[in-house]
């Protein structure tokens, strides 16, 4: 019996050595979790066995348990690298339509040839569907997750319908003594010098055009009225129909201010719009690429929120805000992932779109997960069901973009454990040798 006891001790010491060696081998493996060999004594008895003198029957390995403590963060230059600080796992599938998920803490992700976020083995990172504008998840459930794909372009172009502009018009500027001649954008004597600005607008095909604005004070310094003129692509040809309401040439839209320099006409919280009819622009005189403007091009003299308006103060001409709502086709310029796992794509046309929210799961008993290799695990009966949630909420950890979680192996501790396991092995080997010698002695008795 003592022979078998020594053999069980050798097996346990070998298991301890194997566990320690595996920890040391993975000291630089991203997302790796160290293991610990746990042992229990073996004791077999019956109602007829003498309990006071019964000796144990050796040792057995009860479990090799992984330790899911936090690993240190290592920062990178790749925005798709992700590290979890706190509880939680990333969810992955082997193909686009599969619902058979594996779970990992290794966040070394990259783009596939089809622009899906994948790990080093081509497994697809899962994400919750979100509202493109706000990033709010429409469903937080593993049954609704989808592989996260990063579009390389920002959809179809959109023609400009509105321009929003605020500015300060210099109250020290005046009209010429003899009055203004007919407006001509190529003649600086027909508008106040320096009171000009421009913006880029887009037609239905996404081609850019320059819309320039010219301002001139109508009369003397006691007259707080300003005319506004607009020129499209420096085209000085008269538009079809009557040139009024500030279209290129003509009377111009009138901006009126009171003695305090704030808008007076029609009210202090609104200004007249400069409207360029689409019928005027959708001609070969202005568009030669087959494109069009889908509606009138309206210049709103306010910011987009309608809270700020032009002013007339004794200060130089200065544009406060100048925006428009058209876009050209955008190319992907950057990917940002916040602590909640919301993936935002930024494009060269200025668009920013939420694409997905990285799915996070947790388990009641992480040590019950089944190891699947490649620093990943699968759900088991002992681990419990995967519980989906949003990162950085409740007990789920936060996601750190441009970072990786290092192995949680403490190399110093492992080397000490290695020495201890070696001594245990040697001691059990010695016990086996002694047992063998005793048996030889018994066999030599005559």
């Amino acid at each position: 019996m003592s022979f078998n006891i020594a053999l069980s001790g050798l097996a346990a010491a070998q298991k301890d050595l194997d566990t320690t060696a595996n920890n040391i081998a993975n000291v630089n493996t991203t997302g790796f979790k160290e293991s610990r060999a746990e042992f229990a004594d073996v004791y077999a008895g019956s109602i007829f066995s003498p309990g006071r003198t019964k000796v144990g029957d050796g040792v057995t390995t009860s479990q090799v348990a992984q330790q899911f403590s936090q690993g240190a963060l290592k920062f990178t230059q790749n925005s798709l690298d992700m590290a979890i600080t706190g509880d939680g796992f990333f969810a992955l599938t082997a193909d686009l339509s599969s619902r058979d998920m594996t779970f990992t803490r290794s966040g070394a992700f990259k783009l596939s040839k089809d622009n899906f976020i994948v790990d080093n083995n081509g497994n697809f990172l899962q994400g919750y569907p979100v509202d493109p504008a706000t990033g709010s998840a429409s469903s937080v459930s593993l049954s609704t997750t989808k592989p996260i794909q990063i579009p390389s372009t920002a959809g179809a172009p959109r023609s400009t319908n509105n321009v929003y502009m605020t500015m300060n018009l210099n109250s020290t500027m005046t009209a010429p003594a003899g009055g203004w001649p007919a407006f001509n954008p190529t003649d600086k004597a027909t508008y106040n010098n320096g009171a000009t600005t421009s913006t880029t607008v887009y037609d239905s095909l996404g081609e850019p055009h320059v819309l320039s604005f010219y301002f001139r004070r109508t009369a003397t310094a006691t007259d707080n009225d300003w005319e506004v003129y607009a020129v499209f692509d420096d085209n000085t040809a008269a538009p079809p129909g009557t040139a009024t309401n500030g279209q290129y040439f003509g009377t111009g839209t009138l901006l009126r201010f009171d003695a305090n320099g704030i808008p007076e006409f029609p009210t202090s919280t609104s200004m007249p719009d400069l409207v360029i009819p689409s019928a005027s622009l959708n001609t070969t005189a202005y568009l030669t690429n087959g494109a069009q403007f889908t509606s009138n091009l309206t210049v709103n003299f306010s910011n987009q929120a309608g809270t700020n308006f032009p002013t007339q103060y004794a200060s130089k001409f200065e544009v406060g805000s100048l925006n428009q709502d058209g876009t050209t086709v955008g190319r992907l310029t950057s990917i940002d992932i916040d602590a909640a796992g919301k993936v935002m794509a930024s494009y060269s046309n200025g668009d920013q779109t939420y694409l997905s929210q990285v799915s996070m799961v947790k388990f009641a008993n992480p040590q019950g997960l089944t190891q699947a290799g490649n620093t990943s695990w699968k759900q088991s009966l002992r681990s419990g069901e995967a519980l989906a949630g949003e990162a950085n909420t409740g007990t789920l950890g936060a996601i750190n973009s441009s970072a990786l979680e290092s192995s949680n192996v403490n190399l110093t501790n492992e080397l000490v454990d290695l020495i201890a396991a070696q001594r245990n092995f040697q001691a059990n080997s010695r016990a086996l040798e002694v047992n063998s010698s005793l048996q030889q002695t018994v066999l030599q008795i005559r």
Side-chain angles (χ1 to χ4, degrees):
M1 180 61 72
S2 59
F3 193 87
N4 290 331
I5 292 174
L7 282 176
S8 71
L10 278 176
Q14 184 63 59
K15 181 67 71 174
D16 198 8
L17 282 169
D18 291 344
T19 303
T20 303
N22 186 62
N23 289 341
I24 294 174
N26 287 281
V27 70
N28 285 324
T29 302
T30 300
F32 178 79
K33 298 302 176 185
E34 67 173 343
S35 297
R36 181 180 68 198
E38 299 175 352
F39 305 100
D41 67 327
V42 178
Y43 186 91
S46 71
I47 59 175
F48 302 107
S49 62
R52 296 181 186 180
T53 59
K54 173 65 177 174
V55 178
D57 296 309
V59 64
T60 186
T61 304
S62 60
Q63 183 180 4
V64 177
Q66 289 201 287
Q67 308 301 304
F68 286 90
S69 58
Q70 180 70 46
L73 297 191
K74 180 172 62 177
F75 294 95
T76 71
Q77 300 299 316
N78 178 14
S79 62
L80 293 181
D81 286 339
M82 287 176 266
I84 301 172
T85 52
D87 293 336
F89 296 83
F90 299 113
L92 305 169
T93 58
D95 55 65
L96 293 174
S97 58
S98 173
R99 305 311 300 170
D100 182 20
M101 295 187 183
T102 57
F103 307 96
T104 186
R105 296 271 300 189
S106 176
F109 297 113
K110 52 190 61 66
L111 289 181
S112 70
K113 63 182 179 64
D114 297 317
N115 276 12
F116 287 96
I117 300 180
V118 297
D119 67 3
N120 290 325
N121 300 295
N123 297 312
F124 297 90
L125 179 64
Q126 298 293 298
Y128 305 124
V130 298
D131 183 285
T134 65
S136 299
S138 57
S139 173
V140 183
S141 169
L142 286 181
S143 62
T144 60
T145 61
K146 296 180 180 179
I148 302 175
Q149 186 177 27
I150 310 297
S152 58
T153 59
R158 183 173 63 249
S159 65
T160 301
N161 294 330
N162 290 278
V163 175
Y164 300 91
M165 177 167 55
T166 64
M167 65 285 173
N168 179 68
L169 297 168
N170 191 345
S171 64
T172 63
M173 291 182 174
T174 60
W180 290 108
F183 171 73
N184 183 348
T186 62
D187 184 0
K188 293 184 179 180
T190 63
Y191 54 88
N192 285 113
N193 189 24
T196 64
T197 190
S198 63
T199 188
T200 300
V201 296
Y202 299 94
D203 60 30
S204 59
L205 298 181
E207 184 171 342
H209 302 274
V210 176
L211 187 63
S212 302
F213 301 95
Y214 301 84
F215 302 87
R216 67 181 189 184
R217 199 163 183 175
T218 56
T220 63
T222 59
D223 189 343
N224 294 328
D225 293 346
W226 292 74
E227 292 176 342
V228 187
Y229 298 88
V231 175
F232 186 87
D233 275 347
D234 292 330
N235 191 329
T236 58
T242 304
T244 59
N245 298 326
Q247 298 176 53
Y248 313 102
F249 303 100
T251 304
T253 299
L254 196 65
L255 304 182
R256 178 170 294 170
F257 301 88
D258 64 15
N260 296 315
I262 61 175
E264 183 181 66
F265 174 78
T267 68
S268 61
T269 58
S270 67
M271 299 289 281
D273 298 330
L274 190 158
V275 179
I276 304 175
S278 57
S280 298
L281 296 175
N282 295 338
T283 64
T284 55
Y286 300 98
L287 298 177
T288 59
N289 59 349
Q292 64 176 356
F293 282 84
T294 56
S295 65
N296 294 340
L297 183 54
T298 302
V299 180
N300 303 271
F301 291 101
S302 68
N303 63 354
Q304 199 160 354
T307 56
N308 294 330
F309 302 91
T311 58
Q312 180 197 260
Y313 299 139
S315 178
K316 66 179 182 179
F317 175 84
E318 183 177 7
V319 176
S321 62
L322 185 54
N323 307 101
Q324 54 86 40
D325 58 6
T327 62
T328 186
V329 176
R331 299 295 174 184
L332 182 67
T333 57
S334 66
I335 294 293
D336 295 303
I337 303 173
D338 65 12
K342 295 179 180 179
V343 183
M344 174 184 280
S346 299
Y347 298 91
S348 57
N349 61 1
D351 279 0
Q352 290 184 318
T353 304
Y354 286 102
L355 304 176
S356 184
Q357 183 174 10
V358 177
S359 60
M360 287 274 285
V361 299
K362 64 178 180 178
F363 296 89
N365 176 27
Q367 289 187 327
L369 291 168
T370 301
Q371 293 191 57
N374 297 314
T375 326
S376 61
W377 296 266
K378 283 194 174 286
Q379 176 182 309
S380 72
L381 290 176
R382 293 179 61 244
S383 68
E385 292 286 333
L387 304 175
E390 297 182 70
N392 205 31
T393 59
T395 59
L396 285 172
I399 292 178
N400 293 267
S401 180
S402 300
L404 294 173
E405 183 185 5
S406 301
S407 166
N408 66 348
V409 174
N410 185 314
L411 191 56
T412 301
N413 291 343
E414 296 302 321
L415 292 175
V416 172
D417 291 343
L418 191 63
I419 296 171
Q422 180 187 17
R423 289 179 177 176
N424 291 339
F425 191 92
Q426 290 172 337
N428 282 282
S429 297
R430 181 60 180 162
L432 191 63
E433 182 182 351
V434 170
N435 279 311
S436 178
S437 297
L438 291 175
Q439 287 183 4
Q440 288 295 326
T441 300
V442 171
L443 290 173
Q444 291 175 2
I445 295 175
R446 294 180 182 179

